[in-house]
Amino acid sequence: MLIHALYKYYSILEKAGKVLPDGYSSVKIHYLVSLRADGTIDGIIRHQDKQEFKTKAGKIKEQWIPKDETMPRRTEKPGIDANIIEHRPVYLFGLNLDKGELTPDDRTDKAKKSHQVFVDANLAFLEDMDTPVICAYRNFIKNWRPQDEINNEHLLGLGKDYGKSGFAFCLSGYPDRLLHKDSQIIAKWEQQCRYTEDVSADECIAQCAVSGEEAPIARIHNKIKGVNGGLAVGNVLVSCKNSSENSYVREQSYNSNISEHVMNCYAEALNYLLAGKKHKMLLDDVTIAFWAMNLDEKHEDIFMAMLYGQTEQMNADQTERMLKELLKDGQKGRITADRLRSLDMIQPEVDFYMVGLKPNSSRLAVQFVYRRQYADVLWNITKFQQDMQISQRFRPVSIVRIKMELLSPKSKNEKVSPALLTKLFEAVVYGRNFPVALLETMVRRVKTDIDSKFNEIRAGVIKACINRNYQKEEIKVALDNENYSPSYLCDRLFAVLERLQQSASGYSLNRTIKDSYFASAASNPATVFPKLLKLAQNHLNKSDSQVFFNRLTGEIMNHLCGEFPQTLSLPDQGRFMIGYYQQYQWFFESKDKAQKREKEMEEAENGNS
């Protein structure tokens, strides 16, 4: 499914001119080699753009950036293998730079072998061509003797840049007439790229598993770059190296039955997705590439904004407004087409793909591949954001932020299980139940990290898990005075008793009952609460709000009927924590409302006078 989808996406990108045509590669060229008609070097011209950048110290520095040129496809084969219209110095000139000196000699004779392979391949390709720049290039190949050029002033003048630069060729006096852009070169290369019956004897011809056409099967697949943790030269998506992976006497990637054409297309499409930030995101050590099966990148922008809170194209306020608009369809259980059109999303039914990639040695491991209609993905993410809300103010929550809250603030080496994050992502995209380990981990974090603030992210995760996985009753966004669940009531009571303790001390305590009893109260309420109620009597005598706390404690105790649960299950421990969070936040909300009422009354009195 993945390779077929990438192959289809390539055709979309190719029509829009966003990827290179099949048979070509983008090559970074640092210098142009200017050739006379007889093939001798007239000079070497810098083919780079100068850019300025500011260092951390605030200084302005300059750097030269090589230009990208489209050339016949570069080889991906290991060992010595020449390109048509070569750009690598060791192939072109047959010389190594060693301690500032050029030499054709090395321990393995790689320079000599590379140059000879280049000469043979390019002379054969250039046969019967006769434009001026081609003739000059042919003469250069025929007449160049590496052993006679060790003192070549043009090459020595490049210094250390010689070995790490890419080279292209032009005709002397005509730097705009580049060899690789010559019409005869392009015509012959494209003819050579097309499949004909004249295939070499060692090629495997079979039916491609993707296109269905009889064509040469790719033995080695192109490398994929841009995956977090991958090799600098790239990793392959399809590779079979062990004899145990062989089938029907097929070795290496012949087992995959992917044609050369399809292989080049899917690799080009995937490299395009991974090259920038628009189509990929990082979930711990898994790189996620995503795309809609069309050219409107607004789909990817909105997807990224809803999972990360904002992007370069959409800030947090825009994302928040969009989510609120989408939630108007909440009672229907889906986002209507009219709502999507109102947000300028033209194709709600377009297929949307998400693939998780992780490097494994020289290969890429596919963690997951998801395919959904875009409207379904959008609705499920919107529902996830709705589930995560724990207060009246709507704030988008990113998966990255959830991951951070699953870790102890005191531990530097702790990591979240990749399997847990993958299951969480799947639950968000598909609208499925959250993994049980998510609730277990978050409850443990809240009980263990007593010194840390019990924030809205942790509370939102617990609320979302309980509401989606355990549909006994729905925990609401704000404090629910009609929720009579014993676990919910117990933690409401705990929050009241903690606030009472703070009131009795004039809100000057560094430690409260939460630091000493919260974890045990969440697990065994019957053991802890009698002791807390006894302490509360002493706190009441010192509080200035005795009537308020007495009434509030009495209301909660009446619904508990004077009995506390002996133990609480995992979901009930979650309800306990949500009850605590919402009750504790209620104190601040009530204070803010009271102050707002006083301010309004004061302004009204001043207006009347």
Side-chain angles (χ1 to χ4, degrees):
M1 179 177 79
L2 173 59
I3 292 178
H4 183 262
L6 289 168
Y7 177 57
K8 285 175 59 181
Y9 189 57
Y10 174 86
S11 64
I12 295 173
L13 294 172
E14 185 181 26
K15 288 178 183 177
K18 292 194 173 185
V19 292
L20 296 171
D22 184 26
Y24 291 90
S25 296
S26 180
V27 185
K28 293 190 180 300
I29 299 299
H30 300 72
Y31 296 98
L32 299 180
V33 180
S34 177
L35 297 178
R36 301 184 183 94
D38 61 359
T40 57
I41 298 177
D42 179 43
I44 293 183
I45 306 167
R46 186 186 293 273
H47 193 61
Q48 305 170 51
D49 294 321
K50 185 168 67 172
Q51 290 186 358
E52 293 184 347
F53 68 98
K54 186 179 289 186
T55 64
K56 292 181 179 179
K59 295 181 179 180
I60 302 297
K61 285 194 173 183
E62 297 178 347
Q63 61 179 351
W64 290 94
I65 307 299
K67 294 181 180 180
D68 290 322
E69 295 287 346
T70 301
M71 290 187 164
R73 185 189 301 122
R74 305 292 91 177
T75 179
E76 295 279 351
K77 298 177 182 178
I80 297 174
D81 191 22
N83 296 309
I84 299 301
I85 314 302
E86 188 58 76
H87 70 284
R88 295 169 292 183
V90 70
Y91 281 83
L92 290 169
F93 308 113
L95 296 168
N96 292 310
L97 185 67
D98 185 22
K99 298 179 181 179
E101 296 182 353
L102 295 171
T103 174
D105 301 318
D106 54 54
R107 185 171 54 87
T108 59
D109 283 337
K110 182 178 179 180
K112 293 179 181 178
K113 293 176 182 177
S114 299
H115 181 68
Q116 189 58 51
V117 168
F118 154 72
V119 169
D120 295 341
N122 281 264
L123 283 180
F125 179 81
L126 296 174
E127 191 175 352
D128 300 328
M129 297 188 196
D130 58 1
T131 64
V133 68
I134 292 176
C135 290
Y137 184 60
R138 184 190 292 112
N139 289 333
F140 163 77
I141 297 173
K142 289 181 176 179
N143 300 328
W144 183 266
R145 300 288 182 269
Q147 63 273 16
D148 297 335
E149 301 291 342
I150 57 175
N151 295 317
N152 188 290
E153 59 179 2
H154 301 295
L155 299 183
L156 287 172
L158 298 175
K160 293 181 180 179
D161 279 355
Y162 167 79
K164 56 185 180 182
S165 296
F167 295 84
F169 289 81
C170 67
L171 197 61
S172 179
Y174 302 94
D176 55 331
R177 296 186 185 179
L178 300 179
L179 174 70
H180 58 273
K181 292 184 178 180
D182 188 272
S183 58
Q184 291 190 21
I185 295 280
I186 294 173
K188 185 165 184 179
W189 174 252
E190 291 183 351
Q191 181 182 15
Q192 186 170 303
C193 285
R194 296 191 192 99
Y195 171 66
T196 64
E197 294 182 358
D198 299 327
V199 295
S200 60
D202 59 343
E203 282 188 312
C204 174
I205 308 299
Q207 186 179 43
C208 176
V210 174
S211 66
E213 298 177 349
E214 293 279 334
I217 301 302
R219 183 177 71 88
I220 298 175
H221 286 230
N222 293 346
K223 289 182 171 59
I224 308 299
K225 299 179 181 179
V227 177
N228 183 55
L231 300 176
V233 295
N235 302 68
V236 291
L237 185 63
V238 178
S239 176
C240 305
K241 293 184 177 180
N242 303 318
S243 57
S244 59
E245 297 165 345
N246 297 341
S247 178
Y248 295 98
V249 200
R250 295 280 184 88
E251 296 181 351
Q252 294 185 318
S253 295
Y254 287 145
N255 287 285
S256 65
N257 260 40
I258 305 297
S259 69
E260 286 278 356
H261 171 69
V262 171
M263 180 273 293
N264 290 321
C265 292
Y266 92 72
E268 184 70 25
L270 188 52
N271 278 319
Y272 169 83
L273 293 170
L274 295 169
K277 297 180 179 179
K278 257 188 178 300
H279 296 272
K280 76 172 180 179
M281 64 182 186
L282 197 60
L283 185 62
D284 201 37
D285 57 350
V286 177
T287 301
I288 301 176
F290 51 88
W291 70 96
M293 200 58 81
N294 64 15
L295 286 173
D296 188 358
E297 292 186 335
K298 192 174 295 182
H299 296 81
E300 288 84 354
D301 292 340
I302 293 171
F303 175 79
M304 192 74 160
M306 293 181 71
L307 282 180
Y308 269 73
Q310 66 182 64
T311 64
E312 294 177 359
Q313 288 71 34
M314 297 179 63
N315 59 36
D317 291 336
Q318 290 174 318
T319 306
E320 186 175 323
R321 286 196 300 271
M322 182 191 67
L323 283 167
K324 287 180 178 178
E325 185 70 19
L326 293 175
L327 285 172
K328 291 179 181 178
D329 290 328
Q331 293 181 346
K332 301 182 181 70
R334 60 185 177 83
I335 299 176
T336 63
D338 290 339
R339 187 76 63 197
L340 290 170
R341 292 189 187 98
S342 72
L343 296 170
D344 297 326
M345 284 169 272
I346 302 169
Q347 291 184 280
E349 70 284 353
V350 69
D351 283 337
F352 195 80
Y353 289 85
M354 295 144 282
V355 54
L357 301 170
K358 189 176 178 182
N360 178 14
S361 184
S362 62
R363 290 176 282 185
L364 292 177
V366 178
Q367 301 296 298
F368 56 82
V369 181
Y370 301 143
R371 172 192 172 189
R372 301 281 288 177
Q373 279 198 346
Y374 184 68
D376 293 338
V377 173
L378 204 59
W379 167 245
N380 288 332
I381 298 177
T382 304
K383 186 67 172 65
F384 157 73
Q385 293 290 1
Q386 185 183 42
D387 290 343
M388 285 295 300
Q389 302 310 306
I390 198 68
S391 64
Q392 295 294 346
R393 181 178 176 184
F394 195 93
R395 294 179 179 174
V397 178
S398 71
I399 291 183
V400 174
R401 182 68 193 278
I402 293 175
K403 180 203 131 183
M404 292 171 60
E405 294 298 337
L406 291 168
L407 300 171
S408 171
K410 297 179 180 179
S411 175
K412 296 182 179 180
N413 300 320
E414 186 180 6
K415 289 187 177 181
V416 180
S417 165
L420 173 57
L421 290 175
T422 300
K423 288 291 183 183
L424 170 60
F425 186 79
E426 183 179 321
V428 172
V429 171
Y430 278 87
R432 296 172 179 168
N433 284 356
F434 292 106
V436 176
L438 179 64
L439 180 60
E440 290 176 347
T441 305
M442 198 60 81
V443 167
R444 185 173 68 253
R445 285 271 62 87
V446 174
K447 290 167 69 175
T448 306
D449 303 334
I450 296 298
D451 295 335
S452 301
K453 185 178 179 182
F454 182 20
N455 58 38
E456 60 184 8
I457 305 297
R458 291 185 171 186
V461 170
I462 293 172
K463 167 183 168 286
C465 288
I466 293 173
N467 281 350
R468 188 176 291 193
N469 295 16
Y470 308 93
Q471 300 174 357
K472 194 174 180 181
E473 81 282 334
E474 183 180 2
I475 299 176
K476 297 180 180 178
V477 171
L479 181 66
D480 186 5
N481 290 314
E482 296 182 358
N483 188 335
Y484 302 136
S485 165
S487 54
Y488 188 83
L489 290 169
C490 282
D491 220 359
R492 281 189 60 198
L493 179 60
F494 192 97
V496 171
L497 296 179
E498 183 186 15
R499 192 65 178 171
L500 170 59
Q501 183 189 26
Q502 292 173 330
S503 173
S505 66
Y507 302 97
S508 61
L509 292 176
N510 292 325
R511 287 178 59 84
T512 66
I513 58 173
K514 178 175 179 285
D515 299 288
S516 303
Y517 297 102
F518 187 83
S520 53
S523 303
N524 309 102
T527 305
V528 177
F529 273 97
K531 186 184 296 184
L532 295 180
L533 289 171
K534 187 176 179 180
L535 289 172
Q537 295 305 311
N538 296 328
H539 299 150
L540 271 174
N541 295 331
K542 300 176 184 178
S543 175
D544 295 332
S545 308
Q546 292 184 23
V547 175
F548 170 75
F549 284 109
N550 232 338
R551 180 178 58 79
L552 197 53
T553 303
E555 287 178 2
I556 297 173
M557 288 294 294
N558 285 338
H559 292 304
L560 280 167
C561 301
E563 294 184 6
F564 298 101
Q566 290 292 330
T567 58
L568 294 180
S569 63
L570 177 64
D572 283 335
Q573 289 183 45
R575 293 186 183 94
F576 180 93
M577 294 171 182
I578 297 301
Y580 168 83
Y581 180 85
Q582 291 181 335
Q583 181 67 65
Y584 200 79
Q585 292 300 312
W586 178 84
F587 289 120
F588 296 100
E589 292 170 4
S590 299
K591 183 179 179 181
D592 291 340
K593 288 178 182 177
Q595 290 176 346
K596 186 177 180 181
R597 278 198 305 271
E598 289 177 7
K599 187 176 181 180
E600 289 173 352
M601 290 174 63
E602 185 179 341
E603 290 175 351
E605 289 176 4
N606 293 335
N608 293 332
S609 61

